[in-house]
Amino acid sequence: MTETAQAVEETLDRLLPSGGGPEARVFEAMRYACLGGGKRLRPFLVMAGAELFGVPRARALRAAAAVELVHCYSLVHDDLPAMDDDELRRGRPTTHIEYDEATAVLAGDGLLTLAFEVLADPATHDEADVRCRLVTALAQASGARGMVGGQMYDLAAEDRALDLDQISRLQDMKTGQLFNFSCEAGAILGGASKKEHDALLAYSRSLGLAFQIADDLLDFEGSEDEVGKKVGKDADAGKATFVSILGAEEARNKAKALVDKAVSHLEFYCEKADLLRDVARFVIERRT
Ligand code: GRG
């Protein structure tokens, strides 16, 4: 993961705009929001998935950077006072605290649009059809029927008692869809068969939920120093989460069962998918 994170950092550094002029402030804020932090979990999934199909590394890195750009945009906007109103992210002041709210909104917009520019570039794949499939998949995952819709659902759900099915649907939209894109990007780039593609999506669905339960557990019992952001926010906001409904112990067991389920979908790939198996275990063992 460290090696991949380094390669993704270099790719993002190359792709992110820089330079002077009156627009330089938004360039700086975009770079601040993306560089020098984060686990780069979604890019890692792209790279591990792409490896299954022998996708050239330079192409896979572009898809990996694209998903991280969308993820970073979502964090910048999520931290704004109009949403979660957070001052700490990845152990540093959030983008609107370091710059200002208007700059943070624009930086998020710039990151989101850059992601699609990166995917649409022939350097990502020489076939326009493949590039178009990537653009469509990322747009669907991050748009109103995916992450944006999930965020709306989340805002609407404050102080409402959601049940487990409703929380699962909300989380599938808010965070799961971007995991799905991360897992399927390599399959799209590598021209995978439907069976190969479906197996990765099935893995991703269980993994995304396990990730979210682990995130809830970190919010419930992690420390601000470890996690790099304010914790205990869900309980303070009266939000229903996997932990508030199931309790910490059962939530942990559910996350473990989901990881086992995720791994079971990879059987088809034999030992070629060992990295994806390892990352599934990492997702629930992480402390950050
Ligand atoms: C504003 C459109 C819009 C969407 C925001 C994903 C999201 C939707 C908000 C992030 C808020 C949040 C803490 C969600 C829980 C899951 C999550 C995405 C955690 C952060 O992802 P990590 O742990 O972060 O992969 P790093 O910093 O490692 O990249």
Side-chain angles (χ1 to χ4, degrees):
M1 280 188 84
T2 308
E3 274 170 30
T4 302
Q6 184 56 37
V8 170
E9 181 85 6
E10 285 162 19
T11 308
L12 286 168
D13 188 27
R14 240 182 332 97
L15 294 169
L16 282 160
S18 62
E23 64 276 37
R25 187 173 171 82
V26 79
F27 296 169
E28 278 170 32
M30 288 165 72
R31 301 181 75 83
Y32 178 81
C34 277
L35 299 177
K39 295 179 288 298
R40 310 298 195 201
L41 185 55
R42 293 155 194 80
F44 186 80
L45 289 169
V46 175
M47 299 307 289
E51 222 175 278
L52 294 175
F53 307 102
V55 173
R57 191 170 159 79
R59 289 182 176 181
L61 275 170
R62 293 181 67 86
V67 75
E68 186 68 11
L69 287 166
V70 172
H71 172 57
C72 293
Y73 126 76
S74 81
L75 299 180
V76 172
H77 281 195
D78 184 68
D79 290 334
L80 285 167
M83 299 227 192
D84 253 17
D85 195 9
D86 271 308
E87 299 194 346
L88 193 66
R89 168 71 65 187
R90 294 176 166 174
R92 296 188 300 179
T94 47
T95 307
H96 67 277
I97 295 291
E98 186 70 14
Y99 292 85
D100 56 77
E101 279 181 43
T103 306
V105 170
L106 291 173
D109 295 341
L111 295 172
L112 175 64
T113 41
L114 179 60
F116 293 102
E117 186 183 331
V118 169
L119 291 182
D121 191 296
T124 301
H125 199 283
D126 46 14
E127 289 174 36
D129 178 53
V130 171
R131 302 199 298 274
C132 195
R133 283 182 64 201
L134 285 172
V135 166
T136 305
L138 185 57
Q140 286 172 343
S142 53
R145 293 193 193 279
M147 186 177 70
V148 166
Q151 181 77 347
M152 187 77 255
Y153 195 167
D154 200 14
L155 292 173
E158 273 174 25
D159 288 321
R160 268 183 44 200
L162 298 189
D163 62 27
L164 269 190
D165 283 347
Q166 290 168 319
I167 295 179
S168 301
R169 176 167 181 258
L170 185 162
Q171 298 302 350
D172 172 61
M173 292 171 77
K174 186 175 148 184
T175 53
Q177 295 284 324
L178 219 50
F179 273 94
N180 292 353
F181 173 81
S182 306
C183 290
E184 71 176 335
I188 297 174
L189 278 166
S193 68
K194 182 166 175 350
K195 191 174 171 197
E196 289 168 327
H197 196 138
D198 287 352
L200 283 172
L201 277 180
Y203 160 82
S204 170
R205 286 196 191 99
S206 298
L207 181 75
L209 266 188
F211 172 89
Q212 190 54 52
I213 295 175
D215 206 69
D216 288 355
L217 282 163
L218 282 174
D219 187 69
F220 176 71
E221 58 193 12
S223 74
E224 185 171 301
D225 276 354
E226 273 181 324
V227 184
K229 64 180 181 184
K230 197 164 181 290
V231 292
K233 290 203 67 175
D234 293 339
D236 291 350
K239 265 192 196 172
T241 67
F242 289 107
V243 175
S244 74
I245 293 186
L246 297 172
E249 201 49 44
E250 208 181 322
R252 222 182 316 277
N253 289 338
K254 187 172 170 68
K256 280 188 198 141
L258 281 163
V259 165
D260 289 343
K261 193 168 165 200
V263 167
S264 76
H265 291 295
L266 298 173
E267 218 166 288
F268 168 77
Y269 285 104
C270 307
E271 72 283 355
K272 274 203 307 185
D274 278 350
L275 266 184
L276 289 171
R277 292 185 182 93
D278 288 347
V279 82
R281 292 183 195 104
F282 165 79
V283 152
I284 55 164
E285 283 161 13
R286 70 200 165 95
R287 298 300 307 160
T288 161

